[in-house]
Amino acid sequence: MKPPKLIHLLRCSLPGPAVLVALLTASAFGDPPHVRLIEGEGIVALTKATVIDGTASGPRRNIVVIIKNDRILYVGDGVNIRFGNGVRILDLTGRWIVPGFIDAHAHLPNRDGAASFLAQLLAFGTTTIRAAANPRVELRDLVARRVVLGPRLLVAGLLIDGKDSENGGAQAGTEDEVRAIVRRQAEQKVDFIKLYVGLPPNLVNAAIAEAHRHGLRVIGHLGATTWTEAADMGIDSLAHSWYAGLAHSVVPAQYKAEFRDFYIPNNRFDPKLFHKWREVVDPNGPEVARLASLLRERRIEVTPNLVLGEAVTWGDDPAVLERLEPAFAPAETALAWRRGRHPYSADWPVEAVAEAKRAFPQMARIIRVFHERGVLLTVGTDYMNPWMTPGVAFHRELELLLAAGIPPLDVLRMATRNGADALGILSETGTIEEGKRADLVVLTADPLAAIANTRKIEKVFLQGRSFRPAQLLGPH
């Protein structure tokens, strides 16, 4: 005869109404050892889904994800879970759940249009953004207070550039000036510091030291300072591959002087150098290997931003334009795109454009080498640049990373877990684990079978609140 089951009633210490959990402890005579009864208001149970949780694990089938208010309460097979009163159960048979996407390099509208812009990014599954070089601290706080609906924002102040810069932002000519700018931005409660192309090595070094003194991470879109120099100085993140940042940092030593200005934006940039760059740079050569080792050892994040490189390089190709779906861009922007070539490459000679197209796969192979050597790679779009359609560009970036030779599961980790790691918020989001923010995307097709399936979004959960894309998008 079996002894009676013991019923223990517990109340979880989560915010909001208590969750009643009954642990039905059975005997050792073959019954399940624990059955959890979960009930209470504000609970949503996503059942029978395939979960790709953003960790090193592969897909897990027939999984239950339980959300309580803004947090993930449980992730597992659900065999010993029983639901009581107040629980909303969603049967997600034939669906996939992935963590909310993290855009590690974007920009925001300065005034009008921010609300619709952020809502559109959310519709495409983005639940966190690092907004580089935008003095939008007030917008970050409005989103945090739910006055404006959109992804969580981490923001920089004005980009910091050299004294002779024509790129706007805050300009510094001495180490004291750059330290003062960093201090002012720290007082504004920014989340990180953005350094730009015109800063020479001594000013980059001073800015990094001052930012770290204030507990702020530093991201660089660099030119006058190479990636290797910045890595040695302790920079936290590097943005842009291709000729927007990386290209001149991987040429052999004997060609360094010739390629010193091979970055944009830069009035001295010479697109006729694409041919020689392609001849002298070896993705499997010692220069790339040494830089990859340095980036890995120093835990420096890289956001490749291939999608902008593709748009600029193929700026004369209408097919590339249409792939970036101007219908999702503001009407006046879409009209300008259709009138001509991408503005960043519009004055390149035809021969230089052809050479750039031949060289682009070479840069993609460098990114693959970085991945293979353990560099922390993230996904970023550089929104607000021409042709970077809000939402669309993020998913195109995933396709380009896959085309570079990075496996689909790793691409998804770059878009989720790696982004949270790089932003210093991995304890809060980036993976589907108990206790983390309920930032989730429900897909109707397998993203590992085709990375384009990340576009097939049925629902987006932002801190436990559920949205359908159609709710968030305006007419297109």
Side-chain angles (χ1 to χ4, degrees), residues 216-407:
L216 293 171
R217 297 182 182 220
V218 180
I219 183 171
H221 172 178
L222 302 178
T225 301
T226 68
W227 281 26
T228 302
E229 290 168 332
D232 280 329
M233 296 169 190
I235 201 165
D236 302 284
S237 303
L238 289 161
H240 300 293
S241 56
W242 210 193
Y243 42 84
L246 174 58
H248 75 313
S249 296
V250 291
V251 298
Q254 63 267 36
Y255 302 108
K256 288 289 186 184
E258 187 174 357
F259 283 91
R260 180 184 58 197
D261 294 318
F262 196 58
Y263 61 86
I264 62 171
N266 177 10
N267 291 334
R268 296 179 299 277
F269 175 78
D270 183 2
K272 293 191 290 296
L273 283 172
F274 279 119
H275 176 77
K276 188 164 187 178
W277 187 91
R278 188 164 59 88
E279 289 184 331
V280 304
V281 170
D282 179 5
N284 297 308
E287 293 80 18
V288 173
R290 281 195 294 268
L291 179 56
S293 295
L294 181 61
L295 296 170
R296 183 191 67 247
E297 290 164 5
R298 302 291 176 89
R299 290 282 298 162
I300 298 168
E301 167 224 359
V302 171
T303 308
N305 191 218
L306 292 171
V307 63
L308 180 60
E310 179 193 47
V312 176
T313 305
W314 276 268
D316 60 344
D317 187 343
V320 172
L321 170 62
E322 295 307 319
R323 187 185 299 141
L324 290 166
E325 301 182 55
F328 283 100
E332 65 278 8
T333 302
L335 183 62
W337 289 359
R338 289 192 166 104
R339 279 200 291 260
R341 293 165 57 178
H342 195 286
Y344 294 175
S345 55
D347 60 351
W348 291 0
V350 173
E351 298 80 6
V353 172
E355 287 294 338
K357 291 176 181 177
R358 296 186 187 102
F360 187 83
Q362 211 160 316
M363 176 55 67
R365 287 197 294 275
I366 292 174
I367 300 305
R368 183 180 68 196
V369 170
F370 282 0
H371 169 72
E372 292 169 347
R373 290 178 172 267
V375 176
L376 180 65
L377 298 178
T378 58
V379 176
T381 55
D382 218 12
Y383 292 132
M384 304 311 296
N385 274 285
W387 297 21
M388 294 298 97
T389 317
V392 175
F394 186 92
H395 295 272
R396 179 58 186 161
E397 180 75 359
L398 302 186
E399 294 174 350
L400 291 169
L401 292 166
L402 183 73
I406 300 175

Side-chain angles (χ1 to χ4, degrees), residues 3 55 94 125 164 253 346 361 372 390 411 465 473:
T55 70
D164 298 327
E372 292 169 347
V411 171
R465 301 165 67 195
L473 294 172

Side-chain angles (χ1 to χ4, degrees), residues 107 132-135 156-162 165-172 181 185 193-199 219 221 265:
H107 300 277
N134 290 95
L158 290 169
L159 60 85
I160 305 175
D161 207 351
S165 169
E166 298 178 1
N167 301 308
Q171 297 178 343
I181 293 170
Q185 294 196 2
I193 298 295
K194 170 71 176 290
L195 307 182
Y196 211 51
V197 294
L199 286 177
I219 183 171
H221 172 178

Side-chain angles (χ1 to χ4, degrees), residues 445-468:
D446 182 0
L448 301 183
I451 202 69
N453 288 340
T454 56
R455 285 283 304 271
K456 297 181 178 178
I457 297 173
E458 183 174 282
K459 288 180 181 291
V460 179
F461 286 85
L462 178 68
Q463 288 189 272
R465 301 165 67 195
S466 172
F467 302 92
R468 291 184 178 274

